[in-house]
Amino acid sequence: MCCFCALLTKRGCHMKEASWTSPVVGFILLSLSAHPKLEKTFFVLMLLRYLVILLGNRVLILVTTLDSRLHTPMYFFLGNLSFLDICYTTSSVPLILNSFLTPRKTISACAVQMFLSFAMRATECVLLGIMAFDHYLAICNPLRYPVIMSKATYVPVAAISWAIGGAASVVHTSLTIQLPFCGDNVIDHFTCEILAVLKLACADISINGISMTVVSVIFLGVPVLFISFSYVFIIATILRIPSAEGRKKAFSTWSAHLTVVVVFYGIILSMYGKLKCKDPLRADKEDLSDKLTSLFHGVMTPMLSPIINSLRNKDVKAAVRNLMAQKYFTQ
């Protein structure tokens, strides 16, 4: 919050100093231009991570689609999450890889990249909350679960989560691209991240700050509270199960989602919790370590999610084995 206030103040100074504004057709991404020796190394690292993300999430989507035993609400949401992770990384990673190889790192479709990136992250927050409720019903109210989580319910719920994420992104992206810029179109980042673009605006961005705060509460605060309450009831129900085998089975059903949630929100907190006010002379520049941390954190959850859900879920592992066996015997 302190840094965002400083950003507001800085924009106000620029408004007073600037006597003209010019429309920016395209932005230039700074990426690792100041460290050319690192670009090829990080190109290889990011490419490998991107390939793991595509492979892992595509396999998860494939098995949840082809295996009839996985045609349940939990695996439907899991398939949505995998598709979302592919969309999120595809909206940014190819751009990042290109920036490592291209001398002039110009991007003309900045608004598109901002929209897709924000929409996918917002949708993921909503989906994780819905999946927590799904696990709560499956463990705490198993008799009512088939009635409440019928196909007529969970398909529209998933569609609504995508619509909400997209609507929020439309609002944020529209507010950002309508801002005037004072000729400076160099973004000190790997992608068109909204906060990085706002630093270039030559106008009052208080509306953007209010909008960001509201959306943060809706897409971070509300799902976290929802997940927390669901987890409290889940833990209480598991502890009341008399048999050790029953407790183990219930926990294994829930543990994969728990791990993904911890990784997802842990990364968000580690990224934004470390933000601090810097020297005004360096306010427009991120430290190299911060930029690289942001770079790898952005692909961490999409890469780990399919691995976690495969290793900690017996049904998914069995479906993968069956799929590989069928492919082997049909060749």
Side-chain angles (χ1 to χ4, degrees):
M1 184 62 69
C2 175
C3 291
F4 198 84
C5 292
L7 179 59
L8 288 173
T9 303
K10 182 177 181 298
R11 290 303 102 202
C13 293
H14 278 198
M15 287 174 62
K16 293 177 182 179
E17 294 172 0
S19 58
W20 59 275
T21 61
S22 61
V24 174
V25 177
F27 290 95
I28 297 174
L29 300 171
L30 196 57
S31 188
L32 288 176
S33 298
H35 307 274
K37 294 182 179 179
L38 295 177
E39 289 187 319
K40 287 184 173 58
T41 301
F42 283 99
F43 173 85
V44 174
L45 292 176
M46 284 299 295
L47 179 61
L48 291 176
R49 291 191 177 211
Y50 184 49
L51 293 176
V52 171
I53 289 168
L54 292 181
L55 177 62
N57 285 287
R58 287 183 68 178
V59 168
L60 207 52
I61 292 172
L62 198 61
V63 297
T64 55
T65 302
L66 297 180
D67 196 316
S68 59
R69 294 171 298 178
L70 302 183
H71 291 175
T72 63
M74 181 175 72
Y75 295 109
F76 175 78
F77 291 131
L78 196 58
N80 270 260
L81 198 62
S82 292
F83 179 69
L84 187 150
D85 284 338
I86 290 176
C87 292
Y88 172 72
T89 51
T90 302
S91 72
S92 58
V93 174
L95 176 65
I96 295 171
L97 294 174
N98 180 67
S99 73
F100 288 150
L101 300 178
T102 309
R104 185 171 178 81
K105 312 167 195 305
T106 305
I107 175 173
S108 57
C110 192
V112 175
Q113 200 277 322
M114 275 193 294
F115 167 77
L116 291 175
S117 178
F118 195 97
M120 297 304 106
R121 272 309 187 213
T123 303
E124 185 163 4
C125 290
V126 177
L127 273 177
L128 288 174
I130 294 172
M131 291 173 72
F133 181 68
D134 176 70
H135 282 83
Y136 159 75
L137 287 176
I139 295 173
C140 302
N141 293 282
L143 296 179
R144 298 180 60 189
Y145 179 80
V147 178
I148 299 175
M149 274 296 174
S150 62
K151 190 172 183 178
T153 301
Y154 66 78
V155 173
V157 165
I160 290 172
S161 68
W162 283 86
I164 292 174
S169 186
V170 166
V171 172
H172 267 302
T173 305
S174 300
L175 289 174
T176 302
I177 63 176
Q178 289 176 7
L179 293 169
F181 299 91
C182 300
D184 185 5
N185 64 339
V186 179
I187 301 176
D188 190 10
H189 210 276
F190 295 100
T191 61
C192 283
E193 204 270 337
I194 287 182
L195 291 179
V197 174
L198 287 177
K199 292 180 181 180
L200 307 181
C202 186
D204 180 15
I205 60 170
S206 56
I207 298 298
N208 300 78
I210 294 171
S211 177
M212 288 289 286
T213 302
V214 171
V215 168
S216 296
V217 171
I218 294 175
F219 289 96
L220 287 177
V222 173
V224 166
L225 285 176
F226 200 74
I227 290 170
S228 300
F229 281 115
S230 298
Y231 281 6
V232 168
F233 287 108
I234 288 173
I235 293 171
T237 301
I238 291 176
L239 293 177
R240 288 199 300 266
I241 297 176
S243 66
E245 185 64 28
R247 289 194 298 270
K248 183 180 179 181
K249 183 178 180 180
F251 182 78
S252 64
T253 302
W254 166 61
S255 61
H257 182 265
L258 171 64
T259 308
V260 171
V261 167
V262 170
V263 171
F264 179 76
Y265 286 104
I267 288 174
I268 290 178
L269 291 176
S270 67
M271 287 177 63
Y272 293 98
K274 65 182 293 187
L275 291 178
K276 55 185 181 299
C277 289
K278 299 180 180 180
D279 189 316
L281 297 176
R282 300 185 53 171
D284 284 339
K285 295 183 179 180
E286 296 179 44
D287 294 331
L288 177 61
S289 60
D290 291 341
K291 292 176 68 174
L292 295 179
T293 299
S294 173
L295 173 68
F296 286 111
H297 278 182
V299 297
M300 190 64 70
T301 305
M303 184 178 70
L304 293 179
S305 181
I307 297 174
I308 292 168
N309 285 295
S310 298
L311 294 178
R312 302 182 68 90
N313 192 302
K314 294 180 180 179
D315 293 334
V316 172
K317 287 191 288 187
V320 172
R321 285 195 297 267
N322 290 337
L323 184 64
M324 293 178 65
Q326 291 175 8
K327 184 176 181 180
Y328 175 78
F329 285 116
T330 54
Q331 288 180 345

